[in-house]
Amino acid sequence: MAELFSPAWMERFAAEWNREPDLAQALGQIDFASNIAYGFVEEEAPRGFLQVLKGQVASAGAYQGQALNWDIRASVDQWMKWISSPPGMTGLGMAFTTGKIKFKVGDYKSMLKDPRMATPFVKSFSVMARV
């Protein structure tokens, strides 16, 4: 397995994202477009980057200072737990409440209020597990 959030890992994640109808197609129906970064809470900058246009990942790789709509962070151990056993909506809600997942950029609460975004967000964790 490539290192978590490395360019190679992000490219594989992007390919799996685009193949997953409950993620790419669901977000495409709402014309979802965002720059999303992933990383570790203890680091200043995120590591991985996805550019999503109409639900599909258009580019993936290393974060290189791109403007972000979402910057999602957790500890290495927490990411690995979620990759081995993807969380559901309740698990992610608890992770947010207890600080195990942090959004340095992006409004987690407003996303959760919109099931058209919340359901694909939860699905993204099971897609990570396929990388």
Side-chain angles (χ1 to χ4, degrees):
M1 172 197 260
E3 181 183 353
L4 186 61
F5 306 134
S6 69
W9 194 94
M10 293 304 295
E11 288 172 12
R12 289 178 34 207
F13 179 39
E16 291 296 331
W17 174 302
N18 288 342
R19 278 194 279 274
E20 177 54 57
D22 290 337
L23 186 51
Q25 288 178 13
L27 291 173
Q29 290 174 356
I30 61 169
D31 290 328
F32 179 82
S34 282
N35 288 345
I36 307 168
Y38 298 88
F40 307 117
V41 291
E42 59 274 6
E43 295 180 352
E44 188 173 322
R47 291 191 178 198
F49 174 79
L50 296 178
Q51 179 187 37
V52 180
L53 301 172
K54 295 189 179 192
Q56 294 280 317
V57 176
S59 66
Y63 174 72
Q64 298 176 330
Q66 299 94 329
L68 297 174
N69 303 100
W70 301 93
D71 181 353
I72 306 167
R73 309 288 188 92
S75 69
V76 174
D77 289 344
Q78 189 61 57
W79 281 119
M80 297 312 289
K81 285 178 188 173
W82 287 329
I83 287 170
S84 65
S85 180
M89 186 68 72
T90 302
L92 284 173
M94 286 298 297
F96 180 75
T97 301
T98 60
K100 291 181 180 178
I101 190 170
K102 302 217 183 260
F103 288 76
K104 292 210 170 198
V105 177
D107 185 353
Y108 180 74
K109 291 178 184 176
S110 69
M111 186 239 330
L112 281 185
K113 291 177 184 176
D114 186 347
R116 301 170 309 159
M117 287 180 59
T119 302
F121 177 68
V122 171
K123 187 64 174 182
S124 72
F125 287 85
S126 62
V127 170
M128 283 182 184
R130 298 195 307 237
V131 175

